[in-house]
Amino acid sequence: MTQVVLMMRMMRTTMVPFGAGLLMMGAVLGGCAESGSEAGGDGVQLAATNMPPATTTPPATTAPPATTTPPATTTPPATTATPDGTAGTGSMTPEIEETPDVIEETDDVEVPDEVDEVPDNSGETACLDGITDFNADGPFSFQEARAGSVKLWVPDIPAGCKVPVLHLANGTGGSCSSYQNVLDHFASHGFLTTCYESGQTGAGTQGVEAITAAFDMYPDIAATRIGSTGHSQGGQAAFTVLQQSEAKWGDSYLYAGLAMQPASGFGAQPPGMSWQAMYEMIYSPMFMFSGTSDSLVSESWVSRGFAALNDTVEAYNWSARGATHIPTPQEETMEVGVPWFRWKLLGDTNACEAFKALEGNGRWTSEEQQNVQDC
């Protein structure tokens, strides 16, 4: 216990970034983190990329340099507690203050009574039809591109076809390369995939910027269907990017969110309101999951995000058996991500059935859900 306390004091006084501090504590408690280097140089522009082999080992998580100090504006709010640990147990359990039973009032929130299952643009995504193996690499090759801090994975699809746009937000102090397998997997299944390179992603504004760049750079293939995903602090961004996209493009577009082990309330926060208020404004389907081997973001922490959603929203909160926080849960995300987004953004009945079948495969457990839809 003395070692952990000393380590936490060092983290406070030296302003060690949250991601690096957690890795230091992990080393004291037995260690579960891995480090790695970012894949793909910053200067890469439309470099041809082959589909990842099925046996590719997920890249190691890139830890932020120890000398990097996060901007003062991204310091967690006073009401946000940081993960704490117990010496000798080899695990860390976040201790966070109870969320108030009554979330702050948002009188100007308007949630549409009904959202169409599929936009009136049938046929434009026909090149994505016929895919039934959602775990294997998809049939499309793809290219990587970059515009400033925005990285893109652009599928090679037939002329005239349009595909959904996805954004993935990485965790605190991490990078897009920490989720390389997931990004490649989505692109191989025909999704125009983006990731904003930043160590502080929770506010959601960066993700909207990345999606906007995709529409601006690839108007001929970007469909009016948007998926938002992310991990840890980026798991909060899965919510905040989703809501800000709804507000920017309106209900003529189709949206869905997927949050990996979301650390709601930690790191960069949405502009002008609390995370709870923004979550309550979401009206599109939302899926989130915790990991039974996650020592940083507990199941109860993930559940707070579910509780903040509007009661009218279709939402699912599952747990993944054996899923860790570090290394990042890429395998679990690839397993559930393509079926989920194909169901919600393409109206794919086979994908819906595959998604629902996951609950009974021994790896996934439904913790809570509301307004569940049939296939």
Side-chain angles (χ1 to χ4, degrees):
M1 179 62 75
T2 301
Q3 291 177 306
V4 175
V5 172
L6 288 175
M7 186 66 70
M8 293 178 64
R9 289 175 177 170
M10 289 173 63
M11 290 165 60
R12 296 195 192 98
T13 57
T14 59
M15 295 298 291
V16 174
F18 176 65
L22 291 178
L23 291 175
M24 291 169 63
M25 291 183 67
V28 175
L29 300 174
C32 64
E34 298 179 7
S35 61
S37 58
E38 180 179 346
D42 291 352
V44 176
Q45 298 290 330
L46 288 174
T49 307
N50 293 324
M51 293 180 293
T55 57
T56 301
T57 302
T61 304
T62 302
T67 56
T68 301
T69 302
T73 57
T74 60
T75 301
T79 57
T80 303
T82 56
D84 191 8
T86 302
T89 63
S91 65
M92 290 183 290
T93 304
E95 299 288 346
I96 58 176
E97 296 182 4
E98 291 296 324
T99 303
D101 292 334
V102 179
I103 297 175
E104 63 183 78
E105 295 184 0
T106 53
D107 294 334
D108 56 343
V109 175
E110 294 185 4
V111 178
D113 293 333
E114 182 176 353
V115 178
D116 293 337
E117 185 67 18
V118 180
D120 186 16
N121 51 12
S122 57
E124 69 172 8
T125 60
C127 65
L128 302 182
D129 292 349
I131 299 174
T132 57
D133 189 345
F134 308 121
N135 284 330
D137 294 332
F140 300 100
S141 59
F142 54 90
Q143 297 176 318
E144 292 187 26
R146 183 163 186 166
S149 296
V150 178
K151 293 185 174 181
L152 303 99
W153 286 252
V154 186
D156 297 319
I157 57 175
C161 186
K162 290 193 172 185
V163 298
V165 178
L166 299 185
H167 177 261
L168 184 150
N170 56 260
T172 305
S175 66
C176 299
S177 64
S178 300
Y179 308 87
Q180 189 73 44
N181 289 353
V182 174
L183 294 162
D184 290 351
H185 187 67
F186 281 136
S188 76
H189 277 268
F191 294 95
L192 176 52
T193 307
T194 68
C195 179
Y196 192 104
E197 193 74 79
S198 171
Q200 294 289 330
T201 58
T205 53
Q206 298 164 333
V208 175
E209 182 178 334
I211 294 169
T212 301
F215 281 124
D216 290 345
M217 295 172 66
Y218 302 99
D220 293 339
I221 68 171
T224 56
R225 309 168 190 233
I226 296 173
S228 176
T229 187
H231 177 235
S232 195
Q233 182 184 158
Q236 172 177 288
F239 291 86
T240 58
V241 171
L242 180 65
Q243 192 282 322
Q244 291 174 64
S245 295
E246 292 174 338
K248 180 178 177 68
W249 286 287
D251 58 12
S252 64
Y253 283 43
L254 196 63
Y255 312 89
L258 189 164
M260 313 172 229
Q261 301 160 325
S264 300
F266 182 83
Q269 295 303 296
M273 67 180 72
S274 68
W275 64 268
Q276 293 100 326
M278 184 164 283
Y279 284 23
E280 190 182 19
M281 297 170 70
I282 292 170
Y283 59 80
S284 300
M286 193 73 209
F287 175 85
M288 65 205 75
F289 71 85
S290 59
T292 61
S293 296
D294 185 346
S295 59
L296 301 181
V297 177
S298 66
E299 179 186 317
S300 62
W301 196 340
V302 174
S303 183
R304 293 169 186 270
F306 183 93
L309 291 170
N310 191 289
D311 290 342
T312 64
V313 171
E314 179 186 2
Y316 306 80
N317 177 17
W318 290 5
S319 62
R321 182 166 59 85
T324 61
H325 204 85
I326 302 173
T328 56
Q330 296 194 86
E331 184 177 347
E332 293 81 8
T333 304
M334 288 189 290
E335 183 177 26
V336 74
V338 170
W340 170 254
F341 282 126
R342 283 187 64 93
W343 176 27
K344 291 305 169 185
L345 298 181
L346 299 176
D348 185 344
T349 300
N350 289 330
C352 171
E353 293 173 348
F355 169 80
K356 290 179 178 290
L358 291 175
E359 189 180 352
N361 71 359
R363 184 168 186 170
W364 295 91
T365 301
S366 174
E367 302 298 339
E368 51 191 339
Q369 48 194 24
Q370 63 183 31
N371 304 309
V372 174
Q373 300 298 306
D374 295 329
C375 294

